[in-house]
């Protein structure tokens, strides 16, 4: 009889586990392991440094002589140190831009550093950068332009073989690569080995991307692939630093392709999209992607960068901030100063979550707040339905605040589609924001106000919403 009771107990426990799991079904699509790791990085650097740095161009034609590439004080340790001190987690380098010049001594072309005066042709900039990244504990990513205005065979199948050979070199000889970055600009006028003509390619079919992706998956299984169409990370749709207010990571991937003309229309993603492909917001700290001395006094202001931070990382996206390394081969003093200032702002603003000692009230009862201030995506508010879930928060004392943060557990699928955020001022509820999506992180900035009570209502959600993190801060600027 005891045996039966024990068996019954186990059976009931089993039923309970099943029913709990059913309550929080996975709502597909969900991130892969490599996307989860990438998404935690949030903020990392782009470096545009290549032939254009020396010709003062943005897009080289492809006829530049390798002898033009000649940095006087190139120091990748200075890049990595400055980037590390700026709170970024990695560096993506333009190994080859549209003009075709390669920053590593590729076996497959003479159009590279090996024919430049830099280090008497013995240099390998990607190797130097790999070492500096290791030294400063940063991840390394690779930008390899699919378009090549130098290569004589661009437009033919032989060029695709060349492109894949170069990709293989980059993914084999430089340690772990966290992101492979493919630009959408493709085909047009160029030098093309002296042909000096316009070459158009069919953007949908020419590159045969599925087979190139296979090479990446084989050589660097942990790397995320960026392009307009993913596979893993997609373009935010503009180069200004602003994600869309509505940002679903879900998208119908098969309807996208690199370089599609009206790509910006997809910035918001699609609620019922079949694939999970979060956006990456790429923007330069100066007007140009490459260094131009006349832009030394045009480094974006701290206020502008803060606004970009809130409108990228704060809108379910990552921030890829470009630093145009100068002709010396150094991050310019003006850029370095601004990068450090932004980091000070981020560190000081988010160091103290003022919500930590609050009373949390939802589902008609009080709950301990610890599980949603623990930075653990897998702990979340156990709501019961997908409509009108209200979270009431009462702070331990009145506080001056101006930033609200909320995250959902995207590991089980992005769900929230409509919310309202309110604060109580002089005994009256004031609506700060009526919004749509949340995703991995949403930051809401408002006028500094002294408050004791706040309320977050999830008006509508694809399924039971899983709010995993809340934060309240006073910005340091
Ligand atoms: C663009 C390129 O054409 C620019 O030169 C730059 O590399 C930027 C990040 O992507 O589409």
């Amino acid at each position: 009889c005891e045996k039966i009771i024990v068996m019954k107990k186990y059976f009931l426990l089993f039923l309970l586990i099943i029913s709990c799991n059913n309550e929080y079904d996975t709502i597909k699509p969900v991130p892969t392991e490599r996307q989860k790791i990438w998404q935690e990085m949030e903020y990392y650097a782009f470096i545009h440094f290549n032939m254009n740095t020396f010709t003062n161009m943005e897009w080289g034609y492809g006829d530049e002589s390798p002898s033009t590439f000649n940095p006087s004080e190139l120091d990748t340790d200075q890049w990595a140190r400055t980037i590390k001190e700026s709170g970024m987690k990695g560096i993506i380098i333009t190994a080859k831009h549209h003009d075709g010049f390669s920053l590593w001594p590729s076996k497959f072309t003479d159009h590279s550093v090996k024919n430049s005066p830099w280090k008497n042709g013995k240099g390998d900039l990607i190797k130097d950068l790999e070492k500096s990244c290791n030294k400063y504990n940063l991840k390394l990513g690779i930008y390899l332009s699919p378009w090549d205005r130098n290569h004589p065979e661009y437009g033919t199948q032989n060029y695709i073989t060349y492109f894949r050979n170069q990709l293989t070199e980059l993914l084999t000889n430089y340690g772990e690569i966290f992101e492979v970055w493919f630009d959408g600009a493709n085909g047009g006028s160029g030098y093309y080995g002296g042909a000096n003509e316009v070459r158009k390619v069919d953007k949908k079919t020419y590159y045969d991307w599925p087979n190139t992706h296979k090479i990446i998956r084989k050589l660097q299984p942990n790397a995320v692939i960026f392009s307009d169409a993913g596979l893993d990370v997609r373009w935010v749709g503009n180069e200004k630093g602003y994600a869309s207010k509505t940002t679903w990571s879900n998208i119908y991937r098969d309807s996208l392709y690199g370089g599609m003309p009206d790509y910006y229309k997809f910035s918001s993603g699609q609620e019922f999209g079949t694939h999970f492909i979060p956006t990456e917001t790429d923007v330069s700290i100066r007007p140009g992607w490459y260094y131009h001395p006349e832009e030394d006094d045009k480094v974006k202001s701290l206020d502008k960068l803060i606004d970009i931070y809130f409108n990228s990382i704060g809108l379910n996206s990552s921030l890829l901030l470009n630093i145009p390394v100068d002709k010396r081969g150094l991050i310019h003093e003006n850029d370095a100063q601004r990068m450090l200032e932004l980091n000070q702002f981020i560190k000081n603003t988010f160091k103290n979550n003022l919500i930590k000692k609050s009373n949390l009230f939802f589902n008609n009862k009080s709950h301990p707040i610890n599980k949603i201030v623990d930075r653990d995506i897998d702990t979340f508010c156990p709501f019961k339905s997908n409509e009108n879930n209200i979270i009431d928060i009462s702070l331990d004392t009145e506080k001056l605040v101006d930033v609200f943060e909320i995250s959902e557990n995207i590991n089980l699928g992005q769900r929230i589609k409509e919310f309202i955020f309110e604060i109580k001022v002089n005994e009256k509820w004031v609506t700060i924001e009526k919004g749509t999506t949340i995703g991995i992180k949403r930051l809401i900035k408002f006028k500094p106000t002294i408050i004791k009570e706040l309320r977050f209502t999830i008006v509508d959600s694809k399924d039971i919403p899983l709010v995993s993190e809340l934060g309240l801060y006073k910005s340091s600027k």
Side-chain angles (χ1 to χ4, degrees):
C1 173
E2 243 178 44
K3 231 181 174 179
I4 293 180
I5 293 174
V6 171
M7 275 173 68
K8 244 183 165 177
K9 255 191 191 165
Y10 276 122
F11 184 65
L12 285 175
L13 194 68
F14 175 70
L15 281 183
L16 190 74
I17 291 171
I18 299 246
S19 65
C20 281
N21 282 343
N22 278 348
E23 205 180 345
Y24 302 115
D25 278 342
T26 300
I27 305 300
K28 284 185 177 170
V30 291
T32 58
E33 268 321 297
R34 65 171 82 80
Q35 286 174 316
K36 285 184 202 168
I37 294 166
W38 165 84
Q39 218 154 16
E40 269 173 24
M41 291 175 69
E42 274 194 352
Y43 180 34
Y44 41 97
F46 223 171
I47 286 193
H48 275 64
F49 177 74
N50 204 308
M51 185 57 84
N52 292 330
T53 313
F54 301 90
T55 52
N56 205 11
M57 306 265 285
E58 279 291 311
W59 280 15
Y61 189 67
D63 60 348
E64 299 78 14
S65 162
S67 63
T68 316
F69 184 88
N70 195 14
S72 50
E73 297 170 50
L74 187 105
D75 180 2
T76 51
D77 270 3
Q78 188 254 5
W79 309 2
R81 193 171 54 247
T82 313
I83 285 166
K84 183 73 183 183
E85 286 170 1
S86 303
M88 300 173 175
K89 303 285 169 28
I91 301 177
I92 301 180
I93 174 77
T94 48
K96 182 186 87 166
H97 202 250
H98 312 329
D99 58 70
F101 186 77
S102 306
L103 292 182
W104 75 105
S106 170
K107 270 201 300 222
F108 302 97
T109 181
D110 289 334
H111 199 57
S112 84
V113 282
K114 71 183 170 202
N115 285 313
S116 79
W118 176 61
K119 290 191 176 177
N120 294 321
K122 300 276 178 296
D124 181 342
L125 203 148
I126 307 299
K127 197 33 101 190
D128 290 355
L129 188 56
E130 181 205 351
K131 286 186 191 149
S132 301
C133 282
N134 288 341
K135 187 164 165 189
Y136 290 95
N137 194 18
L138 291 166
K139 297 189 183 189
L140 177 64
I142 294 292
Y143 174 121
L144 183 70
S145 171
W147 184 21
D148 190 321
R149 303 173 94 185
N150 172 267
H151 201 275
E153 292 176 299
Y154 181 78
T156 69
Q157 185 52 37
N158 283 351
Y159 171 74
I160 301 301
T161 306
Y162 170 76
F163 179 67
R164 288 180 182 156
N165 283 338
Q166 285 211 316
L167 185 63
T168 302
E169 285 183 322
L170 288 168
L171 301 185
T172 311
N173 301 330
Y174 302 98
E176 176 101 9
I177 299 297
F178 85 93
E179 180 164 337
V180 182
W181 213 95
F182 294 126
D183 191 66
N186 275 315
S189 63
Y191 174 67
Y192 304 125
N196 287 309
E197 60 188 10
V198 174
R199 290 189 185 169
K200 291 222 166 91
V201 295
D202 181 342
K203 292 177 184 175
K204 280 190 193 157
T205 58
Y206 175 55
Y207 291 99
D208 176 21
W209 284 115
N211 280 314
T212 299
H213 293 154
K214 276 188 201 153
I215 297 173
I216 303 172
R217 292 295 197 234
K218 184 165 161 246
L219 298 175
Q220 295 281 345
N222 300 327
V224 289
I225 302 173
F226 168 95
S227 81
D228 291 354
L231 296 183
D232 308 302
V233 180
R234 66 188 171 90
W235 187 36
V236 75
N238 67 76
E239 293 179 342
K240 296 190 166 68
Y242 290 77
S244 175
K245 285 265 180 199
T246 297
T247 298
W248 289 100
S249 291
N250 309 349
I251 197 145
Y252 290 100
R253 184 170 73 193
D254 299 342
S255 58
L256 306 177
Y257 61 91
M260 58 195 293
D262 42 6
Y263 178 79
Y264 65 92
K265 289 186 188 154
F266 295 91
S267 305
S268 298
Q270 292 142 332
E271 182 185 334
F272 296 102
T274 43
H275 290 79
F276 188 91
I277 317 182
T279 65
E280 177 184 80
T281 305
D282 60 329
V283 59
S284 188
I285 198 163
R286 295 176 176 225
W289 291 102
Y290 279 95
Y291 177 79
H292 308 291
E294 62 275 20
E295 291 180 357
D296 279 350
D297 59 354
K298 294 202 171 60
V299 176
K300 287 189 171 57
S301 68
L302 179 58
D303 282 344
K304 179 69 180 170
L305 290 177
I306 291 173
D307 201 44
I308 286 174
Y309 184 87
F310 276 92
N311 283 285
S312 53
I313 291 174
L315 284 174
N316 192 26
S317 190
S318 67
L319 177 55
L320 174 59
L321 182 66
N322 179 63
I323 318 299
V325 163
D326 69 17
K327 268 176 103 157
R328 294 171 299 174
L330 298 174
I331 295 181
H332 191 274
E333 295 70 4
N334 297 0
D335 306 55
Q337 189 192 331
R338 203 48 48 74
M339 291 156 68
L340 297 172
E341 285 170 6
L342 179 62
N343 188 39
Q344 271 313 315
F345 168 83
I346 299 167
K347 271 190 7 205
N348 291 341
T349 298
F350 295 101
K351 71 171 177 245
N352 196 5
N353 188 351
L354 300 170
I355 229 168
K356 273 194 169 158
K357 291 188 189 136
S358 312
N359 281 319
L360 183 70
F361 194 88
F362 60 88
N363 286 351
N364 297 320
K365 57 177 194 234
S366 277
H367 295 263
I369 190 121
N370 54 328
K371 287 198 174 148
I372 49 170
V373 290
D374 58 1
R375 296 258 162 238
D376 178 358
I377 200 167
D378 293 319
T379 53
F380 42 80
C381 300
F383 290 121
K384 297 197 169 74
S385 80
N386 62 338
E387 270 175 22
N388 284 318
N389 287 297
I390 299 174
I391 305 178
D392 272 303
I393 298 156
S394 161
L395 305 177
D396 54 335
T397 56
E398 287 196 325
K399 294 183 201 296
L400 178 68
V401 294
D402 61 359
V403 177
F404 181 65
E405 174 190 334
I406 178 159
S407 300
E408 58 180 318
N409 179 348
I410 43 112
N411 291 349
L412 294 179
Q414 193 183 339
R415 297 154 184 245
I416 297 173
K417 43 195 252 185
E418 196 181 337
F419 70 83
I420 302 171
F421 172 57
E422 297 159 282
I423 57 175
K424 205 180 220 178
V425 187
N426 298 329
E427 291 309 307
K428 276 199 191 121
W429 285 108
V430 177
T431 299
I432 298 295
E433 184 140 338
K434 279 188 178 188
T436 51
T437 52
I438 303 288
I440 186 94
K441 189 182 274 187
R442 175 100 183 201
L443 295 172
I444 299 172
K445 182 102 168 39
F446 51 99
K447 197 168 90 230
T449 316
I450 296 174
I451 59 168
K452 185 143 190 313
E453 287 179 56
L454 52 148
R455 171 183 287 169
F456 190 80
T457 305
I458 301 145
V459 182
D460 196 7
S461 173
K462 280 180 80 173
D463 201 281
I464 296 176
L466 307 178
V467 172
S468 64
E469 203 65 31
L470 294 175
L472 191 64
Y473 308 93
K474 169 66 190 72
S475 67
S476 66
K477 190 173 188 294

